[in-house]
Amino acid sequence: MKTCFRFYLILLATLLSSGRHVALADDDEANASTGERIEAFVDLVHERIGFSGVVLAGRDGEIVSVIARGNANADEALNTNSLFEIASCTKPFTAVAVLRLAEQGKLDLDDSLSKHLPGVPENCKAITIQHLLNHTSGIPGSNTRGSGDDLSAVLPTFLDGGSRSRPGLQHEYWNQGYSLLSEVIARANGTTYTETMRELVFEPSQMDASCFTGDSAPRGFSIATGRSSMGPSRSALEHPYGSYGFQYRGMGGLVTNVHDLWKWDRALADRSLLSPSSVNEMITPGPGDYGLGWQLSKSPDGSPSHGHRGRVRGFLAQVQRYPSVDGAIFVLVNDDRSSTFSVIAQGVEQILFGEEPKLEFPGELDPKRIDAIAGTYVDSQMRKLVVEDVAGLPELRIEWGGPVTRGYLGLEPDGKPHLYLLSLVDGSAKFKNDGPLKIEMKNERAKSISLEVLNPPLVFKRQP
C-alpha cells in the first residue's frame, strides 16, 4: 500500500533513540532543528528515489546544514568539498565581475557593446552591456553558432541578423550574450576572463577551491564525475564542448563546491564584494523577471529571492539567495538525469522557511520481484523499455526514438506494479500514477511488460 513518509518522524525517532539534549540559544536551537530536518529529508529522498549530490543551506548568516550523498566517481563517495561544474550558474559570477569593473570605472553598464568589442555591426550598436546581462539584446536565443578563441570568427554568427526587437524591451535568454561579456571583461581589465574572475571574484571571496573546466585539479579536493543522458560521463574539469572557448566561456564552465559558494554568498551579503547600490541594481527586476545575471522570484514567505539554475552534460546546479533571512541554498548534482534535483531544491527551501514538505511515495515492490523484472525490453517497432534495479524504487525508462519517458515502479494496494511519473504540480513535487503494468512471467523471470494505460496496450518483450 502507499505510504506517506514524513521525514520528521524519522528525525523524531532518531532523536528519541539517541537521547541527545543540547542547550542552545533560541536562534541556534531553531537553526539546529532546521538543519536536522533538512538532513532527514535529503536522506529520505536519497533512500527512496536516489540522490547523488551535495546540499548546503544557510540562514541568519550561518550554515544550518551541509550534506553529501552518493558517489563522486567509481572509487569514492562524495563529500561536502567535492567539486562540481555549475553550468549556467556561472552567469551570476560573470555579472558580479562586470559590476566590479563598473565600480572601478573601467566600463559602464550603458556602454554600447561596440565600445569594447571591435567588429560589432551597425544594426547591433544599440546593444549595451546591461542588455547582455539581462538578456534583452533582441538577439534571438538561437544565435549560437561559433566556437574557439577568435572573436572575429564568432561575432558575425552570434550577431547575425541584428536585434529582432529594440534592445531593452523583451527578455529572450541568449547564452552567447554572456560569452561576449567574457570578452568585454577581459579587455576592460587587460587580462583573460578566467584571470579576471580569480582577481575580482574568487580572491576577495576567499574561494580557494574554485576554477574552470580545463584547469588542473586543485590539490586535496575530490572531483565529481557526472553521469549523463547526453553522452558519456565526464569529470567536472573536463570540457563539455571541447575547449573553454566562446562556445561556453562566461555562460558556464565554473567548477566549485558548496563551501566556496557560501563564501561568495557571504561576500555579497556583507557588501565586501559589491557596493549596496550595485547589489540593488543586480537584483532589480527587468523584463522576464530577470535581473543582472539572476532569475528573480519569491521565497515561500513572499519576500524577494534571486537565483539561477544550470544544466550541462553530467551536472545540475542551483544557487538561490534569500536576503530576507540572510540565507541561501546550493544544490549540486552529478547526474543530469536526476529527477530528484527539483524535489531536493524545493523541499530544502520549504524547510528553511519553516514549512513541511510532503511527498507521498508509492509502495515498494519485493526485492525478488524487482530482480525478476529488471532488464531491457523492446516492442515491435524497436522502442525500448528499461527497468533498472536501483536503491529504493526501481527506475523505468521508455525510449520512444526521440522523447524519453522516465518514471518509477511502485506497488498499488491491488498488488499490481504501476508506473509513476515524478513531476511538479502547482509548485509541489508529486508522484503521478500513470497506470498499471501487466507483467508476463516465465521461469520466475519477466518475459514481457505491457503498458495497460494505452489502448490497445503496448507490449515490450525482454531482449535476450
Side-chain angles (χ1 to χ4, degrees):
M1 62 184 286
K2 286 187 177 180
T3 307
C4 185
F5 293 97
R6 296 179 181 272
F7 66 93
Y8 65 84
L9 292 178
I10 297 175
L11 171 62
L12 179 61
T14 301
L15 295 177
L16 290 175
S17 63
S18 66
R20 287 182 293 170
H21 178 76
V22 181
L24 298 169
D26 288 346
D27 288 346
D28 290 342
E29 187 172 11
N31 283 338
S33 173
T34 298
E36 289 170 329
R37 292 171 65 215
I38 288 173
E39 183 169 357
F41 175 73
V42 173
D43 277 339
L44 176 62
V45 176
H46 173 66
E47 291 166 5
R48 300 301 176 187
I49 54 177
F51 172 70
S52 184
V54 181
V55 177
L56 184 148
R59 186 182 172 112
D60 301 324
E62 302 290 337
I63 296 174
V64 299
S65 184
V66 57
I67 311 154
R69 296 292 182 267
N71 295 320
N73 50 57
D75 301 318
E76 60 182 326
L78 286 169
N79 61 68
T80 61
N81 285 316
S82 296
L83 295 174
F84 294 72
E85 211 238 287
I86 64 171
S88 283
C89 293
T90 304
K91 289 182 174 69
F93 288 85
T94 298
V96 167
V98 171
L99 288 164
R100 292 212 72 193
L101 289 169
E103 289 183 350
Q104 294 173 2
K106 294 181 178 180
L107 56 79
D108 191 284
L109 298 188
D110 291 328
D111 285 346
S112 168
L113 179 61
S114 62
K115 180 176 179 178
H116 297 272
L117 302 184
V120 174
E122 191 65 34
N123 59 3
C124 292
K125 289 188 175 179
I127 298 172
T128 67
I129 290 174
Q130 177 152 339
H131 294 148
L132 296 181
L133 285 169
N134 63 12
H135 299 287
T136 60
S137 66
I139 302 294
S142 58
N143 277 29
T144 59
R145 291 185 300 110
S147 62
D149 298 319
D150 184 352
L151 178 68
S152 65
V154 300
L155 210 57
T157 58
F158 285 179
L159 300 178
D160 182 37
S163 299
R164 305 302 198 268
S165 60
R166 185 158 65 89
L169 288 184
Q170 298 179 12
H171 176 270
E172 182 171 357
Y173 196 85
W174 180 45
N175 271 315
Q176 270 57 34
Y178 272 75
S179 178
L180 296 181
L181 284 171
S182 76
E183 187 66 7
V184 170
I185 288 169
R187 292 175 183 242
N189 199 48
T191 59
T192 66
Y193 167 76
T194 55
E195 288 169 345
T196 302
M197 294 299 291
R198 290 185 174 93
E199 174 193 339
L200 298 185
V201 183
F202 296 177
E203 290 176 7
S205 302
Q206 299 182 348
M207 298 170 66
D208 303 324
S210 297
C211 54
F212 293 92
T213 59
D215 286 346
S216 299
R219 184 174 297 178
F221 293 93
S222 69
I223 312 300
T225 295
R227 192 180 179 195
S228 180
S229 61
M230 299 182 285
S233 297
R234 59 175 277 257
S235 158
L237 291 173
E238 179 186 343
H239 293 304
Y241 303 113
S243 68
Y244 198 44
F246 285 118
Q247 70 271 31
Y248 200 43
R249 189 184 304 156
M251 68 181 86
L254 176 55
V255 178
T256 190
N257 62 23
V258 293
H259 291 292
D260 267 17
L261 290 172
W262 178 251
K263 292 176 184 177
W264 171 65
D265 173 83
R266 292 299 85 201
L268 286 172
D270 65 20
R271 303 303 191 256
S272 63
L273 197 56
L274 290 173
S275 68
S277 61
S278 291
V279 171
N280 289 337
E281 188 166 17
M282 183 176 66
I283 59 176
T284 297
D289 286 329
Y290 198 96
L292 306 183
W294 294 95
Q295 295 163 334
L296 307 179
S297 58
K298 296 290 185 181
S299 306
D301 65 358
S303 62
S305 175
H306 52 277
H308 217 290
R309 283 196 171 191
R311 182 174 187 257
V312 69
R313 179 163 61 92
F315 296 92
L316 298 167
Q318 177 162 348
V319 300
Q320 197 72 34
R321 304 186 70 241
Y322 307 98
S324 67
V325 296
D326 193 17
I329 289 173
F330 308 114
V331 182
L332 307 181
V333 173
N334 60 330
D335 187 344
D336 64 35
R337 307 171 303 170
S338 177
S339 57
T340 60
F341 174 67
S342 295
V343 174
I344 291 288
Q346 175 197 334
V348 171
E349 179 185 70
Q350 290 171 331
I351 297 169
L352 193 68
F353 282 85
E355 299 182 2
E356 177 194 331
K358 298 177 182 178
L359 185 60
E360 188 175 271
F361 286 82
E364 295 185 78
L365 279 70
D366 182 273
K368 292 183 178 178
R369 192 173 188 187
I370 296 173
D371 184 61
I373 296 172
T376 299
Y377 304 76
V378 296
D379 72 352
S380 59
Q381 298 185 40
M382 299 307 294
R383 292 172 293 200
K384 187 184 297 184
L385 182 149
V386 180
V387 178
E388 293 185 275
D389 185 1
V390 295
L393 296 172
E395 295 179 0
L396 187 147
R397 181 176 74 253
I398 305 174
E399 300 174 2
W400 302 101
V404 177
T405 299
R406 299 180 186 278
Y408 298 89
L409 275 182
L411 201 63
E412 279 288 293
D414 60 8
K416 294 181 179 180
H418 284 234
L419 170 61
Y420 291 85
L421 305 179
L422 182 58
S423 60
L424 293 178
V425 179
D426 296 329
S428 297
K430 293 183 180 180
F431 282 97
K432 175 180 176 291
N433 186 340
D434 199 52
L437 302 174
K438 181 179 179 181
I439 301 176
E440 182 182 353
M441 305 293 293
K442 183 178 181 180
N443 299 328
E444 300 183 348
R445 192 165 182 246
K447 180 181 177 182
S448 68
I449 297 179
S450 303
L451 298 182
E452 296 293 290
V453 68
L454 300 177
N455 187 19
L458 199 58
V459 180
F460 293 82
K461 296 182 179 180
R462 183 186 288 272
Q463 282 189 318

